[in-house]
Amino acid sequence: MITPNAQQSDFTEVVQLIEAARQESYQAVNTNLIKLYWQIGAYISAKLSTAQWGDAVVNQLANHLALTQPNLKGFTRRNLFRMRQFYEAYAQNKKVSALLTQLPWTHNLIILSQSKRPEEREFYLKIATQEKWSSRELERQFKTALFERSILSPAKMSPAVTQTHPEAFNVFKDSYLVEFLGLPDDHSEADLHQGLLARLKHFLLELGRDFCFIGSEYPLQVGKQDFALDLLFFHRGLNALVAIELKVGRFEPEHLGKLSFYLEALDRDHKKPHENPAIGVLLCASKDDEVVEYALSRSLSPALIAEYQTQLPDKKLLQAKLHEFYTLNSSAGE
């Protein structure tokens, strides 16, 4: 006899099969749509580049499609020119072609319109595919200048992290934006802690797709003393616990000692046999990069130092710095 719980499990599996088929169907439709837009963009580009058509002909094409295909949506003059731009932006970059069809047209348009250089387009194509962002979250990441921050300020981590988790550079950031908390300038550590818990979904999006929340003020007992770790996560890709300690002030070297102690306790008493060593993140309001470099250079603990920012950065200033960065690197390579 099948028990109710077993039956419920069977039903859940059927639902999962339906959802998987639905997702595959959606992806197939999206792939075909993006391929169609690519082909139309290539066709229009060829006609315009050889002067067989002028811009006015594209307008005539839009009118023709509206008359002959009244139920067809998305083929206005503006969108036809977008298809041309879409094709011309990526025609010479074959390595991103597979990524284009994995994202909806709306996502592709956001990346195409807001990116300033080919490297930025490729960056957002890869990360939007990996993180499976909504269009709203993708827009937010552009506002936070994620590309500029990633290039100008890569994550600061100890040698132990790079040895045990070489892929960690693709997981962690040098700074995390928590503008969604609406914290005042004089906020306390408790304000930050409670805010992150209240907006945990937003914080998980900012951390990255593979982070799973385990607990807040996670209890650690060593000897006869009790300790509490601010936030504990698990990262599926790294197969490791990730401990986050919050500091509303500037990073100080002595903070690393406490974090290292927590990581040792996690590895000895909480880590599963199949898991990798735990990683620690000190999330501070500010830090001096030179102090961070000194503090991490001889640290035997797999730790990172990152900032949290309560307001969106000045994107224009970061873009100017990035332009200077590329100019200097270009000159150095000559």
Side-chain angles (χ1 to χ4, degrees):
M1 179 178 178
I2 300 176
T3 65
N5 286 341
Q7 193 175 60
Q8 186 68 32
S9 177
D10 291 343
F11 293 168
T12 301
E13 288 186 26
V14 173
V15 171
Q16 290 173 345
L17 289 172
I18 293 171
E19 289 299 324
R22 183 178 295 166
Q23 183 60 36
E24 287 180 10
S25 176
Y26 167 79
Q27 186 58 51
V29 170
N30 182 73
T31 298
N32 290 332
L33 186 65
I34 300 301
K35 286 181 177 178
L36 173 62
Y37 289 170
W38 176 274
Q39 291 167 349
I40 293 174
Y43 185 83
I44 294 174
S45 177
K47 289 291 186 181
L48 292 174
S49 63
T50 58
Q52 295 181 48
W53 285 11
D55 288 357
V57 180
V58 179
N59 190 48
Q60 294 169 16
L61 172 61
N63 293 333
H64 175 77
L65 291 174
L67 288 172
T68 59
Q69 307 286 333
N71 296 322
L72 197 63
K73 305 297 181 184
F75 291 88
T76 62
R77 177 185 184 277
R78 183 180 182 184
N79 276 345
L80 290 173
F81 273 110
R82 282 174 171 169
M83 293 173 203
R84 173 207 178 188
Q85 183 187 8
F86 176 64
Y87 167 77
E88 292 179 348
Y90 301 111
Q92 303 302 319
N93 191 351
K94 302 300 182 184
K95 62 181 179 179
V96 302
S97 58
L99 298 174
L100 301 175
T101 58
Q102 293 182 47
L103 292 174
W105 180 238
T106 302
H107 288 58
N108 275 300
L109 288 182
I110 292 171
I111 293 171
L112 190 63
S113 63
Q114 298 200 33
S115 297
K116 301 296 183 183
R117 56 181 67 244
E119 299 92 340
E120 185 176 7
R121 288 198 297 266
E122 185 173 337
F123 173 85
Y124 281 109
L125 283 171
K126 288 180 177 178
I127 197 168
T129 301
Q130 171 189 311
E131 299 294 331
K132 300 188 184 304
W133 285 331
S134 65
S135 57
R136 183 176 181 178
E137 182 61 21
L138 178 57
E139 290 271 15
R140 175 182 172 271
Q141 294 297 342
F142 269 101
K143 289 178 182 178
T144 68
L146 178 60
F147 172 70
E148 289 85 354
R149 291 188 291 122
S150 298
I151 299 298
L152 294 171
S153 302
K156 309 294 189 298
M157 56 185 70
S158 69
V161 177
T162 58
Q163 291 168 9
T164 58
H165 305 283
E167 65 274 38
F169 275 109
N170 298 321
V171 173
F172 296 100
K173 306 173 188 175
D174 182 62
S175 63
Y176 292 88
L177 268 293
V178 294
E179 86 290 350
F180 49 82
L181 299 182
L183 292 170
D185 292 339
D186 59 347
H187 62 273
S188 66
E189 191 171 298
D191 294 331
L192 174 63
H193 196 154
Q194 292 304 314
L196 292 175
L197 290 178
R199 305 297 296 276
L200 185 58
K201 180 180 178 181
H202 293 77
F203 187 44
L204 282 168
L205 280 172
E206 178 65 8
L207 287 175
R209 182 171 179 79
D210 277 345
F211 280 90
C212 306
F213 179 64
I214 293 180
S216 165
E217 297 183 333
Y218 190 80
L220 298 171
Q221 187 177 43
V222 179
K224 296 181 180 179
Q225 296 187 55
D226 293 320
F227 303 89
L229 174 62
D230 285 341
L231 298 168
L232 184 62
F233 295 84
F234 184 81
H235 191 275
R236 294 170 59 205
L238 298 175
N239 190 32
L241 292 167
V242 178
I244 297 183
E245 275 290 282
L246 305 173
K247 300 294 179 185
V248 295
R250 184 183 63 184
F251 165 73
E252 300 293 346
E254 54 264 32
H255 295 160
L256 270 178
K258 184 178 180 182
L259 182 61
S260 297
F261 174 78
Y262 286 163
L263 293 179
E264 185 67 19
L266 286 172
D267 283 346
R268 289 197 189 193
D269 305 325
H270 298 266
K271 181 176 77 69
K272 304 293 184 184
H274 66 278
E275 293 174 359
N276 293 318
I279 300 173
V281 179
L282 272 170
L283 196 56
C284 310
S286 64
K287 57 183 173 61
D288 183 310
D289 285 344
E290 191 169 2
V291 173
V292 168
E293 182 187 349
Y294 274 55
L296 290 177
S297 63
R298 296 198 179 189
S299 174
L300 300 178
S301 184
L304 301 95
I305 314 300
E307 284 182 346
Y308 69 88
Q309 297 179 12
T310 59
Q311 296 181 346
L312 293 175
D314 186 334
K315 188 169 182 178
K316 289 184 177 179
L317 176 61
L318 287 175
Q319 287 176 339
K321 289 183 177 179
L322 186 65
H323 177 73
E324 182 181 353
F325 171 83
Y326 276 116
T327 301
L328 288 173
N329 279 271
S330 176
S331 300
E334 291 177 358

